[in-house]
Amino acid sequence: MHTTLIDAHELYQLLEGSLTNTPPTLASTMPQDAASIMDSSTHTPDNTPTSTDTPSHDRHNQAQQCPSGNIVILDASFDLGNPQHGQQQFLSQHIPGAQFIDLDKHLSAQADDPPLSGGRHPLPSRERFAQTVARFGITPQTQVVVYDRNASAFCVRVWWMLNYLGHSGVAVLDGGLRAWTEAGLPVEQGEGCVPSIPEAPYPVGTPLVSLWTTKDVKDNIDVGTHVLLDARAKERYRGDTEPMDPRAGHIPGARSRPMTELFDDDGRFKSASELKENIISTTKGYGTDNAVVYCGSGVSATPGVLAAKIAQVPLPALYAGSFSEWSREEDTEVHTGDEL
């Protein structure tokens, strides 16, 4: 099982022979530049996700073939400023056999599901997410591969949530769709494949990653045992600008570690040694085993968890409610400027 990263050619080899009707069409357009979408500071999110957790498939169209061999490919492309754009991009171009998974519909709590976190993209309950992943054809034995067009800003949320469900067999396509198309590999257009739904529900297992709540963060401010790493752009951390949340700044004591520091210019994760050096530096004084990552709404912080796994250091916890939850609490303090 692949549990961290997979490159485009490795994925193609996994798929080879499992898709008999793969079209030869090659990508005609490249995804957005990584730097333009890693930070969501120029977008306004949709705060009212629709109440469905069923994969989006048009069954009036001819169904595309899903991979055989217990492989599921999920395209998690999203645009905070235009929540429908990710699916539109998927319809125009995606990896053969992929299914589209939506941040608002599938990866955030709905009105009838008590959330595990607050903020703009609250985590669904593990039980609800187990129902969702089963509808994508995922079983405990499935190798899941996730990707996006957003320099992994959104697909690693899927990786984290599956690990929190207890599913270790999930890997991120390093470099996303951009890496796939630049390798000259085939793509499809139209609706994704329609999976076979497992008869048994997906079993909720032991979490493989850690989740922090607002209470945990408040308690930590008092005891100071863990360092918080803020994955947002530095100008949002400092409070120079805040386009989404009610207050500008950062959680007291947090250090700025923008998500962009984890990636090369081509959207691929930096090497394990580079990531390890970054993690050791940003957690200095606390140790790599005492870190918590957060961002605006619990999405772009998740690459910080995967980066630690790539670097083979202890995984940081995720404060999933992140600054969008913290800044809405009446009894929380917000700092501006740079921390000493």
Side-chain angles (χ1 to χ4, degrees), residues 109 113-118 122-127 164 211-213 320-321 325:
D113 178 38
L116 292 178
S117 68
L123 284 175
S125 66
R126 297 206 305 148
E127 293 74 18
Y164 193 60
L211 174 66
W212 267 35
T213 65
E325 179 174 353

Side-chain angles (χ1 to χ4, degrees), residues 65-79:
Q65 183 184 11
C66 287
S68 60
N70 216 351
I71 302 170
V72 168
I73 306 173
L74 300 177
D75 184 323
S77 301
F78 197 78
D79 185 334

Side-chain angles (χ1 to χ4, degrees), residues 195-211:
S196 299
I197 308 301
E199 294 183 5
Y202 191 98
V204 176
T206 302
L208 304 175
V209 288
S210 300
L211 174 66

Side-chain angles (χ1 to χ4, degrees), residues 47 52 161 189-190 200-201 218 230 237 244 246 250 276 330:
N47 294 321
T52 175
M161 289 178 63
Q189 294 181 335
K218 290 178 179 177
D230 189 322
Y237 168 84
M244 303 184 210
H250 58 267
K276 185 174 182 179
E330 294 182 357

Side-chain angles (χ1 to χ4, degrees), residues 21 41 51-53 66 107 110 114 124-125 131 146 168 170 184 190 200 242 261 281 289 298 307 315 323 330 332:
N21 61 349
S41 62
S51 57
T52 175
D53 58 3
C66 287
L107 305 176
Q110 305 301 306
S125 66
Q131 296 172 13
V146 295
S168 63
V170 53
E242 182 45 66
E261 292 186 4
S281 173
D289 56 345
L315 305 189
F323 194 70
E330 294 182 357
T332 55

Side-chain angles (χ1 to χ4, degrees), residues 204-328:
V204 176
T206 302
L208 304 175
V209 288
S210 300
L211 174 66
W212 267 35
T213 65
T214 294
K215 183 181 183 304
D216 293 322
V217 178
K218 290 178 179 177
D219 291 344
N220 184 68
I221 290 176
D222 294 331
V223 298
T225 57
H226 289 67
V227 60
L228 272 73
L229 302 178
D230 189 322
R232 299 173 301 158
K234 286 184 181 294
E235 56 267 25
R236 290 185 68 194
Y237 168 84
R238 291 191 303 262
D240 300 343
T241 182
E242 182 45 66
M244 303 184 210
D245 297 317
R247 289 186 282 169
H250 58 267
I251 298 171
R255 295 176 178 177
S256 177
R257 203 274 301 273
M259 172 190 161
T260 50
E261 292 186 4
L262 306 176
F263 293 88
D264 286 326
D265 292 340
D266 61 3
R268 290 178 172 87
F269 275 89
K270 290 184 176 180
S271 68
S273 60
E274 290 174 305
L275 293 173
K276 185 174 182 179
E277 182 180 355
N278 177 284
I279 294 166
I280 291 173
S281 173
T282 53
T283 60
K284 186 177 181 180
Y286 291 87
T288 58
D289 56 345
N290 292 306
V292 181
V293 293
Y294 79 93
C295 54
S297 62
V299 178
S300 63
T302 56
V305 184
L306 179 54
K309 185 162 186 175
I310 296 167
Q312 297 185 335
V313 299
L315 305 189
L318 171 69
Y319 174 34
S322 285
F323 194 70
S324 59
E325 179 174 353
W326 184 265
S327 62
R328 283 168 171 78

